[in-house]
């Protein structure tokens, strides 16, 4: 059972390159555009911002006029209601004042209709509440923009992480071929009596180790592709075709040299969308504190009505109108207003602290990101030198082995070192790409600018190994 399961997984893994070969490789620019439209985090942030923008219109009820139409039917024997209804219908006659009829009226029908206009005159809490709600909506918009920036940085990381996984598969595939060829060569030499059985076993162990690494690398490549698909907002996580190598060292270094590092970048970080959102949030909290204080002030509102009353027809009969102005002042509401003011003041202080924290965090992240780029460049220099030296060392040991001056163990060790150094150099190149994306995010710039690297990938593994080994 286990053997069958392993065979199915291995077959699917081996068939993967063929399934993806027919697809055009996904470019980073296309991945970023897809994430902008479909990424789950972006869609959630946009929906939250839209909801906040809709909520910001609610305080307008206390600022803008409102109009409504009313209609209804009433049938009553209430003495006051019956006489009032008759009077509203302008149907009063001397007989209506008969005491018996007043005390025990017959049922009266009334079809009512009305046109009502309400005009706020002064509602300070509504005005300040509207300003607070608008600032809060702007803050949510800024956070949606910051979410989009973060998503683009994650897409760059995930995209090139998946490409790195493909490059690792390609390197280990070549290493596996070389190891298998070495095993066959050593087996032939054993038959000729030139080397011992121990040499053959060492070569077989080396080939098995490479194959194990290759299986793990293929699995990692599938996982990386699926994670990228999920980050792009795809629900089926179908595997996508990707380039098989990262952009070349010279291309990445050139992009890094074009990225400024300095105090100007730290200043630019203060315009980041998360900092802007914190500033708007503090402004909204300050306005909300004014709103809470304004609830202690009087309110003045006007109204106008046009009413119809008829025993049989809606909006029938002779209309009457009413206009008026009403003021209200809540002197004491069980201390609820005071609690509202105290809570709003505390939230304003908290928002102000959050704004300061966001500014400090932006400066710290910017400086750390700049150092990260410098460190990644230095590590790439070392990894590139180590890869070149390992290739040269392997070439020399291989030459000595051919002349009988080196053992199989030395040759296998040189091959292992060369493969490890090549993988480390690719990983260092990826680390620099990610550091550049994180730096652009930290300064409030677009991490998607790394799409300039599209199509500018390194040479194949074979070409790399044939380069001049001199560091």
């Amino acid at each position: 059972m286990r053997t069958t399961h392993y065979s199915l997984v291995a077959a699917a893994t081996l068939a993967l390159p063929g399934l993806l070969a027919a697809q055009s490789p996904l470019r980073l620019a296309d991945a970023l555009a897809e994430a902008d439209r479909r990424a789950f985090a972006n869609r959630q942030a946009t929906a939250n911002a839209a909801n906040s923008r809709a909520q910001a219109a609610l305080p307008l009820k206390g600022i803008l006029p409102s109009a409504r139409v009313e209609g209804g039917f009433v049938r009553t024997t209430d003495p006051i209601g019956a006489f009032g209804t008759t009077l509203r219908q302008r149907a009063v006659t001397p007989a209506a004042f008969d005491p018996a009829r007043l005390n025990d009226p017959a049922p009266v029908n009334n079809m009512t209709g009305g046109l009502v206009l309400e005009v706020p005159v002064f509602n300070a809490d509504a005005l300040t509440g509207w300003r607070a709600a608008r600032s809060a909506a702007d803050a949510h918009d800024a956070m949606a923009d910051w979410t989009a920036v973060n998503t683009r940085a994650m897409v760059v990381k995930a995209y090139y992480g998946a490409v790195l996984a493909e490059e690792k598969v390609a390197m280990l595939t070549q290493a596996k071929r070389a190891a298998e060829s070495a095993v066959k060569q050593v087996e032939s030499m054993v038959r000729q009596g030139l080397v011992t059985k121990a040499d053959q076993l060492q070569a077989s162990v080396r080939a098995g180790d490479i194959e194990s690494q290759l299986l793990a690398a293929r699995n990692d490549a599938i996982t990386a592709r699926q994670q990228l698909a999920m980050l792009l907002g795809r629900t089926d996580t179908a595997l996508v075709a990707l380039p098989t190598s990262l952009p070349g060292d010279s291309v990445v270094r050139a992009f890094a040299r074009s990225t400024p590092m300095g105090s100007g970048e730290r200043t630019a970080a203060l315009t980041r969308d998360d900092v802007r959102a914190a500033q708007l949030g503090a402004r909204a909290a300050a306005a909300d504190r004014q709103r809470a204080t304004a609830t202690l002030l009087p309110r003045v509102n006007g109204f106008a009505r046009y009413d119809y009353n008829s025993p049989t027809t809606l909006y029938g009969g002779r209309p009457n109108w009413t206009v008026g102005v009403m003021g209200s002042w809540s002197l004491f509401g069980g201390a609820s207003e005071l609690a509202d003011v105290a809570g709003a003041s505390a939230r304003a202080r908290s928002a102000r602290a959050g704004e300061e924290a966001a500014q400090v965090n932006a400066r710290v992240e910017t400086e750390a990101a700049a150092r990260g780029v410098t460190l990644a460049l230095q590590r790439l220099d070392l990894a590139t030198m180590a890869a070149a030296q390992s290739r040269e060392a392997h070439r020399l040991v291989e030459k000595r082995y051919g002349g009988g001056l080196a053992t199989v163990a030395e040759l296998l060790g040189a091959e292992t070192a060369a493969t490890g150094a090549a993988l480390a150099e690719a990983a260092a190149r990826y680390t620099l790409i990610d550091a550049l994306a994180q730096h652009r995010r930290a300064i409030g710039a677009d991490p998607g600018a790394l799409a300039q690297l599209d199509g500018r990938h390194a040479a194949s593994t074979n070409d790399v190994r044939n380069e001049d080994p001199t560091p």
Side-chain angles (χ1 to χ4, degrees), residues 45-61:
T46 301
N48 290 336
N51 176 65
S52 180
R53 184 65 60 187
Q55 295 293 320
L58 295 180
L60 292 176
K61 183 178 181 181

Side-chain angles (χ1 to χ4, degrees), residues 253-442:
R253 293 177 194 273
F255 187 92
R257 286 193 297 270
S258 68
T259 301
M261 307 281 176
S263 59
E265 297 298 282
R266 292 193 295 271
T267 302
L270 298 182
T271 64
R272 289 181 359 175
D273 290 317
D274 63 329
V275 175
R276 185 164 58 90
Q279 293 171 339
L280 290 167
R283 187 184 306 173
D288 187 60
R289 179 175 55 191
Q290 295 176 347
R291 189 256 338 142
T293 304
T295 59
L296 304 175
L297 299 177
R299 299 180 179 88
V300 181
N301 295 281
F303 65 93
R305 296 185 60 93
Y306 216 61
D307 293 293
Y308 295 85
N309 292 274
S310 170
T312 58
T313 306
L314 189 64
Y315 295 101
R318 294 173 57 187
N320 57 76
W321 56 265
T322 305
V323 296
V325 177
M326 179 177 293
S328 63
W329 191 359
S330 177
L331 298 178
F332 186 73
S336 60
E337 297 93 340
L338 300 178
D340 189 15
V341 172
S345 298
R347 290 192 295 271
R349 293 194 301 272
S350 174
R352 177 59 182 167
E355 177 188 359
E356 294 176 0
Q359 293 176 346
V360 173
N361 180 66
R363 286 194 292 266
V364 171
E365 283 191 352
T366 300
E367 294 175 2
R371 292 195 303 270
V373 172
T374 301
L375 176 61
L377 279 167
Q378 294 171 343
R379 295 179 66 179
L380 179 58
D381 290 339
L382 295 174
T384 302
M385 183 183 300
Q389 292 172 341
S390 296
R391 289 194 299 271
E392 175 63 4
H394 176 249
R395 186 185 69 82
L396 294 175
V397 173
E398 192 173 35
K399 186 176 181 179
R400 290 175 56 209
Y401 180 77
L405 301 177
T407 65
V408 169
E410 291 176 316
L411 178 61
L412 295 177
E415 288 179 348
T416 301
T419 301
L423 293 172
E425 192 274 337
R429 206 179 330 141
Y430 165 73
T431 299
L432 176 56
I433 292 174
D434 181 47
L436 291 168
Q438 294 303 320
H439 178 260
R440 294 191 66 82
R441 169 196 169 276

Side-chain angles (χ1 to χ4, degrees), residues 58-246:
L58 295 180
L60 292 176
K61 183 178 181 181
I63 300 173
L64 300 179
S66 62
R68 68 178 184 271
V69 178
E70 298 177 348
F73 171 78
V74 176
R75 179 178 174 84
T76 181
T77 59
D78 175 67
I80 295 178
F83 185 80
T85 298
T86 304
L87 188 60
R88 289 191 181 96
Q89 295 174 354
R90 290 178 170 82
V92 176
T93 63
F97 292 94
D98 180 11
R101 187 172 180 179
L102 289 173
N103 290 326
D104 190 18
V108 176
N109 296 336
N110 188 36
M111 301 287 289
T112 63
L115 304 175
V116 184
L117 176 65
E118 295 177 343
V119 182
V121 178
F122 177 75
N123 292 293
D125 57 333
L127 288 169
T128 53
W130 181 47
R131 285 199 296 267
R134 283 191 303 168
S135 295
D138 292 340
H140 278 86
D141 287 339
M143 283 308 299
D145 293 339
W146 180 241
T147 299
V149 170
N150 281 323
T151 298
R152 289 173 78 83
M154 288 189 292
V155 167
V156 173
K157 183 182 183 72
Y159 177 86
Y160 282 119
V163 174
L164 173 63
E166 293 302 310
E167 187 167 351
K168 184 177 181 180
V169 169
M171 289 183 180
L172 290 173
T173 299
Q174 180 176 344
K176 178 187 176 184
R177 295 195 191 103
E180 291 173 346
S181 176
V183 169
K184 292 179 181 179
Q185 182 181 4
V186 173
E187 288 175 347
S188 176
M189 296 175 69
V190 169
R191 288 192 296 270
Q192 297 173 22
L194 299 177
V195 296
T196 65
K197 183 68 174 179
D199 294 329
Q200 178 185 349
L201 294 175
Q202 288 181 339
S204 298
V205 170
R206 164 65 178 164
D209 180 60
I210 292 294
E211 184 173 5
S212 176
Q213 293 182 48
L214 179 57
L215 289 173
R218 284 173 174 164
N219 178 72
D220 292 343
I222 294 175
T223 301
R225 275 198 178 96
Q226 290 177 332
Q227 290 174 340
L228 174 61
M230 181 179 68
L231 185 58
L232 298 183
R234 300 184 181 185
T235 56
D236 55 1
T237 63
L239 299 181
V240 295
L242 294 171
T244 56
S245 62
L246 294 169

